[in-house]
Amino acid sequence: MTDLSVRIGTLTLKNPVTVASGTFGYGTEFADFYDPSRLGAVFLKGLSLEEREGNPPQRLVETPSGLLNAIGLQNVGFDRFVAEKTPALEGIDTATIANVCGKTIEDYVELARRLAEIDRIDAAELNISCPNVRHGGMAFGCAPDSTEKITRAVREVYPKPLIVKLTPNVTDIRDTARAAEAGGADALSVVNTFLGMAIDIDTRRPKLGNRTGGLSGPAIRPLAVRMVWDCFGAVKIPIVGQGGISEWRDAVEFLLAGASALSIGTANFVNPTAPIDVLEGLERWLADQGVSSLSEIVGAAQAG
Amino acid sequence: MIETKRKLLLELAASKPLNASTCLLTFRIESDVAASCRPGQFFNFRPLDSTAPLLRRPISICDARPDAAHSDAGEIDFLVKIVGEGTRLLAVQAPGTTVDVVGPLGNPFTPDPTRPSLLIAGGVGVAPLHFLARSLPAHGGGDAPITFCYGARTQRDFVLLDRIERATSDLILATEDGSLGHKGLVTEIAEPFLADGTQIFVCGPSPMMNAMLPLLRERGLTAQLSLENQMGCGVGACQGCVVPGRQGHIRVCCDGPVVSSEDLESVFSD
Ligand SMILES: Cc1cc2nc3c(=O)[nH]c(=O)nc-3n(C[C@H](O)[C@H](O)[C@H](O)COP(=O)(O)OP(=O)(O)OC[C@H]3O[C@@H](n4cnc5c(N)ncnc54)[C@H](O)[C@@H]3O)c2cc1C
Ligand SMILES: Cc1cc2nc3c(=O)[nH]c(=O)nc-3n(C[C@H](O)[C@H](O)[C@H](O)COP(=O)(O)O)c2cc1C
Ligand code: FES
């Protein structure tokens, strides 16, 4: 048996297969299909201090092998999250990670400060890469200096593991990766969705209510693999790779590029047991290859 | 009763074209799953084991027939209207093929079997209302009458007329071109039946449901409406399928597809 555990700061994930923020709700929505305790971690839906309505519909558009979304971080806000959503997490025996969003640095810091008090939340993922909100979101993640500044500010108030989620909508992702590391991040999530658009030729209007959206799914996989590869060369902290992972072969590709853990996003919609299928396929492959520890293959494609 | 959502591989038992663009698919299904299906619920179909089309397609349950004697001999019907690649791929499957589905999903109709019912269907919206009519006790023969108003563009577009006739006390048709039944819209033939004490169920294209809303409001009536929208997860996790409602966004996949007309200002269409 391969040792599947992954360390992120002081947190140990039991295996590298996690589910991506915004695609797995508040952790319980897929419980009819399998026990979420089998996952390495659950990244919860993007959370802000105040409840948010999100963007007007239409919020989803299917594209070739991809999905454009403009949800706009609709969420229940911190107070209702604690009162209504965290109790159900008690039944899930794996790491649960909050996805932290805000309009200002102060919002991020305040939310992180409050989350630090919530026992059931094991870590925070700083979402400075959401393309679907007008204020905050991707604005912080597009430049290295603001990435470092916001990471450092949150780091000061948040003692648990801190993961920074990078946007691919930058010229060179290595710059923001280094900035997040310098600011004190324990890990990086690479990557969030690619800014995109689809236009209805009959109405001559953008299909999404928000006009633009974030592209995810198999369509972005080669782009995401390249970004994981680049980040692996630029930083020492572990990388949670994501972007179009649908089956175990895709997961192996991300590990070889340099990811230590993986997130399954859009594939949950296509195949509700995708994370478990990936986990089981990965376990078989690692055993067949005689790999004793996951770290042996992380970034192995970069050797020589 | 099982209320679990499942991922299933269903074997297609029969595929029957009903007109140029619509076909009736019958799958084998375990009887206990068939018995757990409620009218208004849907299954999410994966058209192809591939990435294009990527997402599942929601299709309403048109009928579910558990077999009391045989646990594996239940049947479930779906009515598929071809509007694009996903529905085309479903319609061309040959009997014997297995299709990957997730369900049953969504919030069903909640009928009161003791009250008279008015069912108002437009286009492929006939599917869930057919199942509803079939599941009401007495199949129209009892004390509580079932009136079924059904509208289409033209005569050829009507499907399942004989089945609906058997399941209801009264079937009234409307076509936009006057080729069968009343010439005009289904809302016009439904209007005289809008009465206190009658429970009303509506499923059809959004312009039709939007035309129903003021008719209901003028009379102080409410109806149960079945909504449609593009779906992501289908299980309430992504907030992708929302439509505007009076109390905020409504997730079609799990707050719906069946909602009360009171919860809507208007029916969303993209
Ligand atoms: C809860 C629910 C229940 C449904 N039940 C049924 C059912 O029982 N039978 C059935 O045939 N369909 C049903 N639908 C609609 C069905 O899901 C869509 O028609 C299907 O997803 C379209 O996929 P496609 O790949 O064929 O077309 P796409 O390529 O996705 O779309 C092709 C074209 O059709 C248009 N289109 C998309 N959705 C619809 C729609 N709902 N009606 C008309 N045009 C549309 C698109 O705007 C586009 O122009 C249901 C939808 C929902 C949400
Ligand atoms: C519908 C939807 C909602 C999302 N919501 C969030 C979110 O709230 N916070 C976040 O950091 N990422 C969000 N994402 C991005 C995913 O977490 C993931 O990084 C991205 O989709 C790439 O992975 P995938 O191709 O496997 O989906 C969302 C993605 C989708 C498709
Ligand atoms: S489709 Fe995801 S919440 Fe409805």
Side-chain angles (χ1 to χ4, degrees), chain A residues 20-22 45-46 69 73 99 127 165 191-192 216-217 242-244 265-266:
Chain A
S21 177
K45 173 65 195 163
N69 90 80
L73 298 177
N99 182 258
N127 180 358
K165 187 161 184 178
V191 283
N192 208 320
S216 64
Q242 61 206 283
T266 304

Side-chain angles (χ1 to χ4, degrees), chain B residues 55-73:
Chain B
L55 298 172
R56 288 176 182 268
R57 291 337 195 223
I59 305 288
S60 300
I61 303 164
C62 180
D63 199 15
R65 297 179 294 275
D67 181 326
H70 302 95
S71 66
D72 57 352

Side-chain angles (χ1 to χ4, degrees), chain A residues 22-23 29-30 60 71 269, chain B residues 42 44 229-242 250-255:
Chain A
T23 66
E29 286 84 347
F30 285 86
L60 298 175
I71 310 295
F269 305 170
Chain B
F42 63 95
N44 237 343
N229 197 7
Q230 168 81 53
M231 276 184 198
C233 67
V235 297
C238 74
Q239 315 285 350
C241 62
V242 303
I250 297 171
R251 290 168 300 181
V252 171
C253 72
C254 58
D255 303 323

Side-chain angles (χ1 to χ4, degrees), chain B:
Chain B
M1 189 173 75
I2 309 152
E3 296 203 15
T4 317
K5 309 175 186 93
R6 300 151 181 257
K7 182 174 102 168
L8 302 166
L9 285 176
L10 297 185
E11 188 193 335
L12 185 62
S15 173
K16 191 169 149 205
L18 301 181
N19 61 38
S21 64
T22 313
C23 66
L24 184 70
L25 304 181
T26 301
F27 294 89
R28 280 184 240 293
I29 193 166
E30 297 208 1
S31 287
D32 57 353
V33 183
S36 76
C37 293
R38 293 285 164 271
Q41 290 190 305
F42 63 95
F43 276 71
N44 237 343
F45 282 68
R46 188 158 181 208
L48 213 57
D49 183 10
S50 167
T51 63
L54 182 66
L55 298 172
R56 288 176 182 268
R57 291 337 195 223
I59 305 288
S60 300
I61 303 164
C62 180
D63 199 15
R65 297 179 294 275
D67 181 326
H70 302 95
S71 66
D72 57 352
E75 285 185 331
I76 188 163
D77 290 344
F78 297 93
L79 194 63
V80 175
K81 182 176 164 60
I82 302 172
V83 299
E85 184 60 6
T87 45
R88 191 191 65 80
L89 286 164
L90 291 175
V92 299
Q93 299 293 337
T97 325
T98 53
V99 179
D100 176 352
V101 304
V102 171
L105 301 172
N107 188 29
F109 292 112
T110 48
D112 172 351
T114 63
R115 282 168 62 191
S117 303
L118 174 62
L119 282 60
I120 308 169
V124 78
V126 72
L129 293 179
H130 166 264
F131 187 21
L132 176 64
R134 286 245 313 134
S135 67
L136 286 166
H139 288 200
D143 295 336
I146 305 171
T147 305
F148 202 110
C149 297
Y150 182 9
R153 255 182 327 110
T154 185
Q155 175 173 7
R156 280 191 315 277
D157 290 350
F158 285 120
V159 295
L160 305 177
L161 288 181
D162 49 340
R163 287 202 196 191
I164 297 165
E165 197 148 37
R166 260 179 277 134
T168 58
S169 3
D170 211 358
L171 171 60
I172 304 155
L173 304 176
T175 49
E176 283 170 40
D177 66 359
S179 51
L180 187 64
H182 169 82
K183 180 174 187 321
L185 301 173
V186 68
T187 44
E188 294 160 10
I189 53 171
E191 204 172 338
F193 297 96
L194 297 174
D196 256 351
T198 299
Q199 49 183 349
I200 305 162
F201 307 92
V202 191
C203 186
S206 38
M208 168 205 147
M209 296 206 284
N210 268 322
M212 279 309 300
L213 289 176
L215 299 179
L216 293 164
R217 248 160 238 159
E218 284 158 17
R219 293 163 179 79
L221 301 173
T222 61
Q224 298 181 31
L225 263 57
S226 182
L227 303 175
E228 285 194 5
N229 197 7
Q230 168 81 53
M231 276 184 198
C233 67
V235 297
C238 74
Q239 315 285 350
C241 62
V242 303
V243 295
R246 282 186 165 155
Q247 315 290 335
H249 288 125
I250 297 171
R251 290 168 300 181
V252 171
C253 72
C254 58
D255 303 323
V258 177
V259 299
S260 166
S261 56
E262 283 182 324
D263 296 336
L264 301 171
E265 203 58 57
S266 66
V267 175
F268 173 78
S269 76
D270 63 310

